[in-house]
Amino acid sequence: MEELRTFEASEKFKAEALVRDRSMYEAAAADRLAFWAEQASGLDWVEPWSEVLDWSDAPFARWFVDGKLNVSANCLDRHVANGLGDRVAYYFEGEPGDKRTITYAELFAEVQQAANALKDLGVKKGDRIAIYMPMIPELPVAMLACARIGAAHSVVFGGFSAASLSDRIIDAEAQVLITADGGYRRGAPSMLKGIVDDALQSTPTITDVLVVQRIGDAAEPVNMQEGRDHWWHDVVPGFSASCPPEVMDAEDLLYLLYTSGTTGKPKGIMHTTGGYLTQAAFTHKYVFDLHPETDIYWCAADIGWVTGHSYIVYGPLANGCTSLIYEGTPDTPTEERRTGDRAAWAKDRFWEIIANYGVTKLYTAPTAIRTFMKWGTQWPQGQDLSSLKVLGSVGEPINPEAWVWYHTYIGGGRCPIVDTWWQTETGAMMIAPLPAVTTLKPGSASGTLPGISAELVDDAGQPVGVPGGGYLTITEPWPSMLRGIWGDPQRYKDTYWSRFPGRYFAGDGAKFDADGDIWLLGRVDDVMNISGHRLSTTEIESALVDHPAVAEAAVVGRDDATTGQAISAFVILRGGVTASPELQAELRNHVATLISPIAKPADLAMVPELPKTRSGKIMRRLLRDMAEGRSIGDTTTLADPSIVPIIEEALNG
Ligand code: WTA
């Protein structure tokens, strides 16, 4: 493949783009708060703010102080009032091939019915609602219904286990759970309600469960507990499609989203109303160069992650854009292509969807792109992808090879790629190009967006020069920043604001190249990134030692060509327990059951010892070297260097 060093949008793309020069960067640099105020004024406010930012209680920010608005009203009511009720909000493509088209007017009506149903269940402003659903349209409906009545949602990714679901429900003290009987994945129903029933055995706060019927009688019977469980279709359509939006303060909680940190306990990241919506809408509009009248936009993430929250639900709807929601995986068959052998399935479902709907903007993750590379170019080449205009990437660093492949075979050599760096905590994109302005380099996320200021610092917190490498920090508060960790303000300060005083520490390493462009280098803490999913080493270690056969465990993320990182586990068995392939499989499955199949270790070695420093700290770096088949570097800090060959033997044997 020809080496591609830089890329600029075509003259035609530039001529039609929303932002064609650097004046927006200049305006934001000249007066950051005025810039954000201007972006916020694009929303509908019930009452204006008195102050753009109150940072007097740092690191606890208040944006658009005293401003009042409702997020669902901004996503629905104002578009319908502006005559856009017939515009499609979502095209839904189910995995089995079923399709739905939902206009803004229809979404508006269903959200209000669902909001009235929640009210009838006793939900009030300030309550928390847990949501555990597959990728079906009722998921955004449920989120918007919460936002409409001022209840905060806590969406739990549908791939999480019963234990993970109940932990999150308990921490948030959620009162109602919205779920579904199941969803379709990999050509078959994947049932959720049984997992819900298990989870709810330990959640005293849940009084009611609304259950969407997605699968129906096709699979196993669904248990509905009298008085607690209600079918969505029995309840919601009976309510009035009129529910006035609750007037919310700009700083009222919009949602919690749990994410992995460096300890075993997931953090409930708090996002509020005015600042969050401002930055989600702003970034979605300009980074994708959105033309809502003509664009068909598709973010292929799951709504259970922050990417789906900000770029399937809130950003796109605030911008009145038409989005696509796809339920399944990229290689799942439509009815006519289904065979028993997954390897034989057609692997062009994504490209077929793009061709059928005329998708113009696609947002996906490097791990998906690397999988498509592995499957081969024949799949995209068999479909008409000429509608595509901008391609997005998120979730992990995109390696230059994957960037070039994405650009060549999906983007037809024509589409700018926007590599967007951000986090659950940042709420919206922070570092990303503007497609008609930035000179793109494969593998670099380019620079901070207007209104965002980042610096790389060394161990001592001193800014590094250009070129240079260091820890990524954000130096000024931003509108969609997390407002804290649910129930744990001290952990918020400790995790993000204490390592480098006065700076937000993202946990990522990065470098500046000679032009000052930023290249993200991955996490520098004990957080792993598996296929773009965040998992903590400690969380998985806790799951392993939860098993009666395990005395001690260490987990590292090793490099993997497809998933970015893969989980390597090392366990010491308890006395009297014998190592066996069956036990190895059982331990890996134990993690899948306790956390999620995405957390299942790719490999697991049963070792007699773990490498520890004299102070008893496990040397993960050394384990990573071993897992990646590298020769071991310096072992002088080890308490007992003689264990290295023993572990290596266990690993290879
Ligand atoms: C990583 C996902 C490099 C990073 C939106 C960050 C990235 C973590 C990129 C957050 C990118 C995300 N380039 N790395 N474009 N985007 N990351 O909370 O390590 O699931 O800290 O949010 O993903 O993951 P999270």
Side-chain angles (χ1 to χ4, degrees):
M1 195 180 295
E2 194 189 324
E3 184 96 348
L4 175 66
R5 299 227 172 268
T6 62
F7 176 83
E8 297 233 6
S10 69
E11 289 311 315
K12 180 168 184 293
F13 185 94
K14 286 184 183 172
E16 291 168 0
L18 298 176
V19 179
R20 301 168 202 181
D21 58 34
R22 297 198 61 86
S23 52
M24 189 186 257
Y25 290 96
E26 285 152 19
D31 191 342
R32 194 172 57 89
L33 296 184
F35 170 79
W36 283 119
E38 191 190 326
Q39 302 314 321
S41 66
L43 301 177
D44 262 8
W45 294 80
V46 180
E47 279 176 42
W49 56 87
S50 59
E51 197 185 348
V52 177
L53 169 67
D54 175 6
W55 190 231
S56 56
D57 188 26
F60 296 93
R62 292 164 71 220
W63 280 86
F64 308 113
V65 182
D66 299 327
K68 309 271 186 250
L69 74 167
N70 180 284
V71 165
S72 86
N74 272 282
C75 291
L76 301 168
D77 309 36
R78 62 174 178 156
H79 302 316
V80 174
N82 288 339
L84 302 178
D86 291 338
R87 182 179 287 173
V88 175
Y90 291 119
Y91 287 113
F92 170 69
E93 169 101 5
E95 199 190 72
D98 54 320
K99 296 172 179 32
R100 279 171 68 184
T101 299
I102 302 152
T103 64
Y104 273 91
E106 288 163 348
L107 190 61
F108 185 38
E110 192 167 346
V111 165
Q112 294 185 83
Q113 287 180 316
N116 280 325
L118 289 176
K119 277 186 170 172
D120 188 62
L121 294 176
V123 179
K124 301 173 308 299
K125 179 174 174 174
D127 290 346
R128 272 87 50 215
I129 305 296
I131 301 180
Y132 182 66
M133 284 173 96
M135 283 283 287
I136 55 176
E138 286 81 1
L139 172 48
V141 169
M143 293 162 74
L144 291 160
C146 291
R148 193 155 194 92
I149 62 175
H153 54 72
S154 166
V155 180
V156 180
F157 170 59
F160 274 121
S161 66
S164 300
L165 175 60
S166 63
D167 283 351
R168 286 158 173 76
I169 290 174
I170 291 167
D171 189 75
E173 296 177 273
Q175 183 179 328
V176 168
L177 171 65
I178 307 175
T179 186
D181 54 354
Y184 291 95
R185 271 191 92 68
R186 307 214 161 92
S190 150
M191 302 308 282
L192 288 180
K193 183 60 169 53
I195 301 174
V196 165
D197 291 337
D198 285 351
L200 295 192
Q201 294 194 354
S202 52
T203 56
T205 53
I206 294 284
T207 58
D208 293 273
V209 182
L210 266 180
V211 188
V212 175
Q213 189 173 55
R214 167 68 184 142
I215 306 291
D217 299 329
E220 60 198 62
V222 170
N223 157 58
M224 295 292 280
Q225 186 177 310
E226 182 72 33
R228 184 194 73 181
D229 299 349
H230 323 276
W231 285 112
W232 174 288
H233 60 263
D234 284 343
V235 174
V236 173
F239 281 93
S240 147
S242 166
C243 174
E246 193 73 39
V247 175
M248 302 299 284
D249 188 89
E251 283 300 337
D252 278 335
L253 190 66
L254 177 64
Y255 67 79
L256 297 177
L257 186 57
Y258 285 81
T259 191
S260 293
T262 51
T263 72
K265 189 172 151 24
K267 303 176 280 197
I269 301 299
M270 297 164 66
H271 282 294
T272 60
T273 300
Y276 172 78
L277 194 64
T278 297
Q279 195 172 331
F282 162 74
T283 50
H284 178 253
K285 178 172 173 182
Y286 292 105
V287 173
F288 286 106
D289 186 42
L290 198 72
H291 297 267
E293 326 72 50
T294 50
D295 270 331
I296 308 289
Y297 161 86
W298 181 18
C299 168
D302 193 290
I303 295 176
W305 308 111
V306 75
T307 303
H309 281 58
S310 299
Y311 299 105
I312 299 178
V313 183
Y314 293 117
L317 293 177
N319 289 328
C321 121
T322 298
S323 298
L324 193 128
I325 293 179
Y326 171 56
E327 183 183 26
T329 48
D331 65 338
T332 40
T334 48
E335 199 55 54
E336 61 271 18
R337 287 167 165 181
R338 184 168 304 174
T339 71
D341 176 12
R342 188 173 178 200
W345 289 353
K347 295 185 167 40
D348 61 352
R349 189 73 188 271
F350 268 33
W351 320 129
E352 185 184 69
I353 288 173
I354 289 172
N356 286 347
Y357 292 89
V359 170
T360 54
K361 313 280 159 82
L362 173 68
Y363 195 22
T364 188
T367 181
I369 298 161
R370 290 191 296 264
T371 301
F372 300 141
M373 288 171 75
K374 210 164 60 184
W375 287 343
T377 55
Q378 71 276 20
W379 299 109
Q381 278 169 344
Q383 299 284 352
D384 178 5
L385 304 182
S386 61
S387 56
L388 286 170
K389 292 188 170 149
V390 178
L391 304 175
S393 174
V394 62
E396 50 180 319
I398 178 165
N399 47 308
E401 297 72 28
W403 197 106
V404 171
W405 191 94
Y406 195 25
H407 184 257
T408 309
Y409 294 106
I410 308 306
R414 153 189 97 247
C415 304
I417 295 180
V418 287
D419 175 11
T420 63
W421 177 89
W422 57 293
Q423 308 178 295
T424 305
E425 291 87 342
T426 71
M429 298 168 189
M430 303 289 281
I431 299 175
L434 293 182
V437 181
T438 314
T439 301
L440 304 169
K441 294 175 189 161
S444 165
S446 65
T448 48
L449 285 166
I452 303 298
S453 11
E455 276 178 354
L456 307 185
V457 298
D458 63 18
D459 262 324
Q462 291 305 311
V464 303
V466 171
Y471 301 103
L472 176 61
T473 66
I474 311 292
T475 57
E476 300 285 355
W478 63 100
S480 64
M481 66 193 283
L482 75 166
R483 299 304 197 263
I485 295 175
W486 181 251
D488 203 345
Q490 191 57 42
R491 190 176 176 196
Y492 167 65
K493 290 191 198 171
D494 293 346
T495 309
Y496 303 106
W497 300 93
S498 67
R499 172 78 200 266
F500 303 112
R503 296 168 180 273
Y504 171 84
F505 174 44
D508 282 45
K511 66 173 189 193
F512 284 128
D513 66 16
D515 302 324
D517 282 332
I518 300 176
W519 297 67
L520 276 310
L521 300 174
R523 303 287 304 194
V524 294
D525 53 13
D526 289 334
V527 173
M528 296 177 292
N529 194 327
I530 315 296
S531 295
H533 299 144
R534 263 172 82 164
L535 294 163
S536 97
T537 50
T538 338
E539 208 176 341
I540 296 170
E541 287 163 2
S542 311
L544 284 167
V545 294
D546 174 81
H547 192 283
V550 176
E552 215 179 334
V555 162
V556 297
R558 63 162 167 80
D559 284 344
D560 182 272
T562 304
T563 56
Q565 285 189 309
I567 300 170
S568 278
F570 298 79
V571 300
I572 302 178
L573 299 176
R574 279 177 196 260
V577 179
T578 338
S580 70
E582 293 73 35
L583 180 59
Q584 187 186 41
E586 188 179 320
L587 295 179
R588 293 174 60 229
N589 287 331
H590 188 67
V591 178
T593 313
L594 274 193
I595 303 174
S596 163
I598 58 175
K600 185 170 167 172
D603 36 59
L604 183 142
M606 292 175 267
V607 295
E609 272 306 333
L610 289 169
K612 288 189 185 150
T613 60
R614 284 181 204 105
S615 59
K617 206 169 170 283
I618 294 173
M619 284 189 71
R620 287 210 176 75
R621 174 189 62 76
L622 222 139
L623 290 173
R624 207 173 300 129
D625 285 345
M626 293 191 209
E628 291 172 2
R630 261 195 306 279
S631 67
I632 308 302
D634 182 14
T635 57
T636 47
T637 48
L638 274 183
D640 177 10
S642 71
I643 62 148
V644 170
I646 301 172
I647 298 175
E648 278 180 325
E649 200 190 313
L651 196 59
N652 302 324

